[in-house]
């Protein structure tokens, strides 16, 4: 996917919509033209949801959040592309995963395009005294470790699971709580600066349908996942 953090997304809706739609549409057309027997697993995004919606049957209701509008619409279009394939080509089996906010090794730590976790890791690592936290620090998010998502993808592909599934841990943490966890791991002694303490906005998707398929899947604890991500970041910085 062509993806970045919300500060980049909110000013690049056209690029997000265009680039991600092309990815989905090109794959759809290629599969249609080849007319082969295949399993196609599409990765959508929690950004396709309107804020407050959490069940799979509501993913097309209303409009995506304005900060991720172009990206969210493109990820809805990707879902529609799988449905179109099913209507036209009986040789194709399709599955769709809708992951929540993800993080982990190999993440993007660039200043202008990174998501919240790599952005906080970079800031706290580089600024020992004060760190600005953007947005509402009370907002709560469900963070999925990328290694877990890789395992889920592998299970779906190996078993050719069809249908649409939210992919989330079912647990949330506030942005400030997240920052404090990173602070603890990095032994940060400085202070956090933040302006917004508005009403809590919760982004959480229902993962019961997924758990019924995976059965006894153990999600990586966020603190353990953060330690792995920070270790990766520090190794990358050491080689530069």
């Amino acid at each position: 996917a062509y993806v970045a953090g919300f500060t980049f997304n909110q000013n690049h809706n056209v690029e997000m919509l265009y680039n991600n739609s092309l990815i989905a549409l090109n794959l759809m057309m290629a599969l249609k033209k080849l007319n082969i027997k295949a399993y196609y697993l599409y990765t959508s995004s929690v950004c396709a949801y309107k804020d407050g919606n959490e069940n799979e049957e509501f993913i097309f209701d209303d409009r995506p959040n304005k900060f991720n509008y172009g990206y969210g619409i493109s990820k809805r279009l990707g879902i529609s592309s799988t449905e179109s394939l099913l209507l036209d080509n009986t040789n194709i089996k399709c599955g769709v995963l809708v992951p929540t906010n993800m993080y982990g090794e190999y993440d993007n730590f660039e200043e202008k395009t990174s998501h919240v976790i790599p952005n906080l890791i970079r800031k706290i690592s580089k600024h020992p005294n004060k760190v600005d936290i953007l947005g509402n620090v009370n907002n709560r998010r469900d963070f999925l470790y990328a290694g877990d998502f890789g395992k889920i993808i592998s299970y779906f592909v190996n078993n050719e699971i069809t249908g649409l599934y939210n992919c989330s841990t079912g647990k949330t943490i506030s942005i400030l709580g997240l920052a404090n966890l990173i602070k603890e791991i990095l032994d940060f002694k400085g202070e956090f600066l933040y302006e917004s303490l508005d009403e809590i906005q919760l982004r959480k998707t229902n993962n019961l349908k997924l758990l019924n398929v995976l059965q006894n899947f153990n999600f990586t604890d966020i603190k353990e996942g953060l330690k792995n991500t920070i270790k990766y970041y520090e190794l990358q910085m050491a080689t530069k």
Side-chain angles (χ1 to χ4, degrees), residues 8-226:
F8 181 88
N9 289 358
Q10 66 182 331
N11 296 313
H12 296 84
N13 285 285
V14 170
E15 291 87 347
M16 287 293 167
L17 176 58
Y18 179 78
N19 289 322
N20 286 293
S21 295
L22 281 182
I23 293 171
L25 293 174
N26 284 335
L27 276 168
M28 176 190 69
M29 187 56 68
L31 286 167
K32 173 71 184 292
K33 287 182 176 179
L34 289 170
N35 193 29
I36 57 174
K37 185 178 181 179
Y39 173 73
Y40 174 35
L41 181 64
Y42 178 72
T43 301
S44 185
S45 168
V46 69
C47 295
Y49 280 105
K50 175 187 180 295
D51 286 347
N53 288 351
E54 62 176 32
N55 295 322
E56 287 91 346
E57 62 265 31
F58 301 135
I59 197 162
F60 285 102
D61 286 6
D62 214 325
R63 294 171 178 265
N65 184 290
K66 65 180 180 179
F67 295 118
N68 293 292
Y69 183 79
Y71 184 66
I73 289 294
S74 74
K75 288 300 184 176
R76 288 185 180 185
L77 185 146
I79 297 170
S80 296
S81 74
T82 66
E83 294 172 342
S84 297
L85 279 170
L86 292 174
L87 289 169
D88 285 5
N89 190 340
T90 57
N91 289 322
I92 299 292
K93 295 174 67 176
C94 295
V96 178
L97 289 174
V98 186
T100 185
N101 304 70
M102 288 196 296
Y103 72 101
E105 297 93 329
Y106 308 100
D107 210 332
N108 171 23
F109 292 87
E110 293 298 322
E111 181 177 356
K112 294 182 179 180
T113 56
S114 58
H115 287 93
V116 60
I117 286 180
N119 189 34
L120 283 171
I121 290 172
R122 188 196 70 255
K123 281 184 174 182
I124 293 172
S125 296
K126 290 189 173 183
H127 304 285
N129 298 317
K130 295 180 180 179
V131 168
D132 289 316
I133 304 177
L134 299 176
N136 183 0
V137 296
N138 283 334
N139 285 345
R140 300 188 69 87
R141 297 290 182 263
D142 184 334
F143 291 98
L144 176 66
Y145 182 55
D148 291 342
F149 190 52
K151 293 175 183 177
I152 294 168
I153 288 174
S154 179
Y155 183 86
F156 267 65
V157 171
N158 290 335
N159 294 278
E160 297 190 354
I161 306 295
T162 59
L164 174 71
Y165 296 83
N166 288 332
C167 196
S168 61
T169 70
K171 298 179 181 179
T172 65
I173 186 172
S174 70
I175 302 303
L176 184 57
L178 176 68
N180 282 326
L181 267 182
I182 297 171
K183 173 181 179 178
E184 177 186 339
I185 295 168
L186 287 171
D187 195 27
F188 176 66
K189 302 299 184 185
E191 63 176 317
F192 292 134
L193 304 177
Y194 43 87
E195 296 179 353
S196 180
L197 279 170
D198 299 329
E199 182 179 348
I200 296 173
Q201 292 180 345
L202 175 67
R203 179 184 287 175
K204 177 185 177 183
T205 56
N206 188 327
N207 67 354
L208 293 180
K209 186 178 176 183
L210 177 75
L211 295 180
N212 284 335
V213 170
L214 297 178
Q215 298 299 319
N216 299 316
F217 188 84
N218 294 314
F219 289 99
T220 300
D221 177 74
I222 190 167
K223 189 171 183 179
E224 189 64 29
L226 287 173

